[in-house]
Amino acid sequence: MLRRVSDPQSTQPDPVGPDGWPFVERSTAVNAPSMGVVRRTLQAVVSIIGVQVLVAGVVLLVISSYRRAAAGWVLPLVGFVDVVVTLQVGWLAVRDIRLAGKRTVGVRIVLVLLVVTMLVGAGVGGLAVRRYVNRPIAGAFGSPVMDRDLRITAADFRCGGRSKGITVGGTTCRVALTVANTGSAEALLRARVQRLRGEEGEYPGLLLVEGHQRGMTWELEAGASVRGVLVFDVPRGSVPRSLELRAKEESQGVRLPIPADE
């Protein structure tokens, strides 16, 4: 009598189905809905405004701290980074909207207007910051003030009268100066660099007088000092309000307010 023996290695194929063979990997990724044009535009606008706020904070930190001396190169660098980041934010917003298959004309107009407004504001703010950083420091008559290597003391400011050998078209104003060169190299003090400011305008120095010598420049060797008078030619009727003294045209300078009774 024959007996049927089952083959232990023979198997039946798994039924075809969701849990059977062949295995099909199911994608679990869900396509996120594309961001709307208005929402993406607002996101870019907020980002650009945030960049400007951050830049303003950096600028205030620079000009109000000990790093103010480095403002000459730090602030232009900050401005360059601001422009690059602002343009990048706008470009990314336009690209995202274009990839979503939507029109970008309106978005471009909004972002261009915003970027232009920001850049104009940054330019105006940069000029204001530059004036603030380079504004003359405050001084007083009778007290020594420093500008670069020159230590200057101004005193006895007065207007009116005549000075022998000096001819002016308006009113003669003069101030006694004592100037010392504290540096290690020769320094110059030029009359035309000094300014007398009034409500009607500013007036450059006319002449430097040292004893019987008159000229436009005082030359001071290292460690030398000189005493003399700085002369201005001021239009008649003009009232000087402050005196600005500088070692050089491009230096920061010192501003000395003139009392009303002078």
Side-chain angles (χ1 to χ4, degrees):
M1 182 176 177
L2 297 175
R3 297 173 63 181
R4 181 176 296 177
V5 180
S6 62
D7 185 0
Q9 295 184 354
S10 64
T11 58
Q12 295 293 330
D14 294 332
V16 178
D19 298 323
W21 181 90
F23 294 103
V24 178
E25 183 178 356
R26 294 182 179 182
S27 175
T28 58
V30 179
N31 293 329
S34 59
M35 186 179 295
V37 176
V38 175
R39 183 179 176 186
R40 186 64 182 91
T41 303
L42 289 177
Q43 186 184 66
V45 170
V46 172
S47 298
I48 291 176
I49 294 176
V51 171
Q52 308 311 312
V53 173
L54 179 61
V55 168
V58 173
V59 170
L60 290 176
L61 180 63
V62 170
I63 64 177
S64 62
S65 68
Y66 68 95
R67 299 185 181 276
R68 175 177 172 178
W73 66 268
V74 172
L75 296 184
L77 178 61
V78 171
F80 174 77
V81 173
D82 179 21
V83 172
V84 172
V85 174
T86 299
L87 294 178
Q88 182 76 0
V89 171
W91 177 80
L92 289 175
V94 173
R95 188 201 63 172
D96 291 347
I97 294 174
R98 184 188 297 119
L99 290 177
K102 299 178 181 179
R103 295 183 178 181
T104 61
V105 177
V107 180
R108 290 186 180 187
I109 293 175
V110 172
L111 293 180
V112 166
L113 291 177
L114 177 63
V115 171
V116 170
T117 301
M118 292 295 183
L119 293 180
V120 172
V124 174
L127 291 176
V129 169
R130 182 179 179 183
R131 288 187 176 183
Y132 175 81
V133 171
N134 295 327
R135 76 191 190 283
I137 62 177
F141 285 96
S143 300
V145 294
M146 289 293 301
D147 190 50
R148 298 202 176 184
D149 291 335
L150 294 185
R151 184 176 65 244
I152 308 173
T153 304
D156 192 25
F157 177 86
R158 51 195 175 91
C159 292
R162 296 182 179 181
S163 297
K164 185 177 180 180
I166 300 176
T167 303
V168 299
T171 301
T172 301
C173 291
R174 59 187 70 81
V175 59
L177 295 182
T178 301
V179 184
N181 181 7
T182 63
S184 58
E186 183 184 70
L188 301 177
L189 181 74
R190 303 182 186 276
R192 302 293 296 181
V193 173
Q194 318 313 317
R195 295 286 188 273
L196 194 60
R197 294 186 179 273
E199 296 179 352
E200 298 80 7
E202 63 176 37
Y203 316 106
L206 175 66
L207 198 64
L208 287 167
V209 180
E210 180 190 0
H212 297 289
Q213 297 181 358
R214 295 173 173 82
M216 298 297 298
T217 304
W218 282 345
E219 300 179 3
L220 292 90
E221 298 292 337
S225 63
V226 63
R227 298 180 63 181
V229 177
L230 171 62
V231 181
F232 293 90
D233 183 3
V234 179
R236 299 184 186 278
S238 179
V239 179
R241 298 300 184 187
S242 63
L243 173 66
E244 292 184 6
L245 302 173
R246 287 183 172 85
K248 292 185 178 181
E249 183 71 45
E250 65 274 12
S251 63
Q252 185 176 8
V254 182
R255 177 176 296 171
L256 287 67
I258 298 174
D261 56 348
E262 294 289 349

